[in-house]
Amino acid sequence: MTGNVSQPAFVLVRPQMGENIGAAARAMWNFGLDRMRLVAPRDGWPNPAADAMASGAGRLLDEAQLFPDLPDAVGDCTYVMATTARSRDLTKPVLSPERAMRVAAERIAEGQKVAVLFGPERAGLENEDIARANAIVSVPVNPGFASLNLAQCVLLTAYEWRRQTQHVQVEMTEPGTAGWATGQEVEKLAMHYEQRLDGAGFFFPDTKAASMKVNLRNLWSRMPLTTADVQMLHGIMRQMVRWKERGE
């Protein structure tokens, strides 16, 4: 593989449908993962159906490593995690996807090789597969309907990997091409409105004028204005003044 070695290998164990393999590749690449390993895919390999579903992530399929069985697929790994909805009465640490990917990141940073196992579509991983894992990754799904599509499980796990290894902004607002308004631009806008509103007799009575002006300034400072917003607000006030003057 030519991909980044500082990431876990995602191992698809006996996947049944080429479409799901392709969708899994797309999900991995969405979050910067490109180390796919395939264990005995039912319909053989390569698979044209996988290429059709990869949608831009075909390189992952071209570089995917093919193995005849699971021991060969994880033979070079020092820590293996198995995704499953059930512990199957096997005594192992059971981790949430978030915790699992944090552990993966920590172990990889120490120089270890980590693999994450995903089972076939119909019934998931067998006990024999899970027995070879060091830990279980369990998604908190509806217990009455615990089955996850293969690509969905890959997507969820890859997303958690991204969260643990990249800075994720929990909220942001893009200002557009105009950019955020500067303090000087907002100050001129505030002065424009204050002057026009003062001329219109808005600040009445005189005893409340000072506090009303402070409140108006506070209003402008609370608003996340862009330069385009400021220009539009200037234009609104100018047009209102022109309309009033024409009416007179």
Side-chain angles (χ1 to χ4, degrees):
M1 290 286 287
T2 59
N4 182 1
V5 297
S6 300
Q7 59 175 259
F10 276 24
V11 184
L12 309 190
V13 182
R14 300 181 299 279
Q16 296 170 329
M17 298 178 63
E19 290 86 349
N20 284 333
I21 298 173
R26 181 177 181 178
M28 288 175 63
W29 192 229
N30 281 148
F31 297 101
L33 292 164
D34 61 6
R35 297 182 65 204
M36 176 182 280
R37 299 183 181 187
L38 301 174
V39 177
R42 183 190 66 183
D43 297 335
W45 194 256
N47 188 321
D51 292 327
M53 283 296 294
S55 187
R59 180 176 67 82
L60 271 72
L61 301 179
D62 294 338
E63 298 180 355
Q65 293 176 295
L66 182 64
F67 297 88
D69 54 41
L70 183 56
D72 281 341
V74 298
D76 65 335
C77 297
T78 55
Y79 196 79
V80 178
M81 302 179 182
T83 60
T84 179
R86 303 179 299 279
S87 64
R88 314 289 182 91
D89 297 323
L90 298 173
T91 303
K92 294 181 185 294
V94 180
L95 312 176
S96 69
E98 179 181 13
R99 174 61 181 162
M101 291 302 97
R102 186 179 305 131
V103 169
E106 291 169 353
R107 288 181 174 274
I108 289 171
E110 294 170 356
Q112 298 189 41
K113 289 186 176 181
V114 176
V116 184
L117 310 183
F118 299 87
E121 294 88 326
R122 173 173 286 184
L125 294 167
E126 300 290 342
N127 277 8
E128 184 179 351
D129 303 320
I130 299 171
R132 289 188 166 86
N134 303 100
I136 288 171
V137 183
S138 181
V139 180
V141 294
N142 173 9
F145 190 63
S147 178
L148 275 177
N149 172 272
L150 171 59
Q152 290 174 335
C153 190
V154 169
L155 177 72
L156 187 152
T157 309
Y159 166 70
E160 289 297 345
W161 168 260
R162 188 76 172 182
R163 287 186 64 224
Q164 299 308 314
T165 57
Q166 302 288 328
H167 173 68
V168 178
Q169 290 184 288
V170 295
E171 182 177 345
M172 63 179 178
T173 302
E174 294 290 345
T177 56
W180 294 113
T182 65
Q184 185 179 36
E185 288 172 330
V186 175
E187 177 66 18
K188 289 181 179 179
L189 178 67
M191 291 177 60
H192 183 191
Y193 269 69
E194 186 175 310
Q195 291 168 359
R196 293 301 187 182
L197 290 172
D198 200 11
F202 176 76
F203 300 111
F204 179 86
D206 289 343
T207 54
K208 294 185 177 180
S211 63
M212 291 174 70
K213 291 178 180 179
V214 169
N215 288 339
L216 183 60
R217 291 293 179 118
N218 192 46
L219 170 66
W220 297 125
S221 68
R222 290 203 315 269
M223 297 173 66
L225 296 168
T226 67
T227 295
D229 294 332
V230 169
Q231 292 170 348
M232 182 181 69
L233 288 167
H234 276 300
I236 289 172
M237 179 56 77
R238 293 189 189 101
Q239 188 61 29
M240 292 296 291
V241 171
R242 293 192 191 102
W243 174 78
K244 181 65 171 60
E245 291 173 348
R246 286 199 300 270
E248 293 177 350

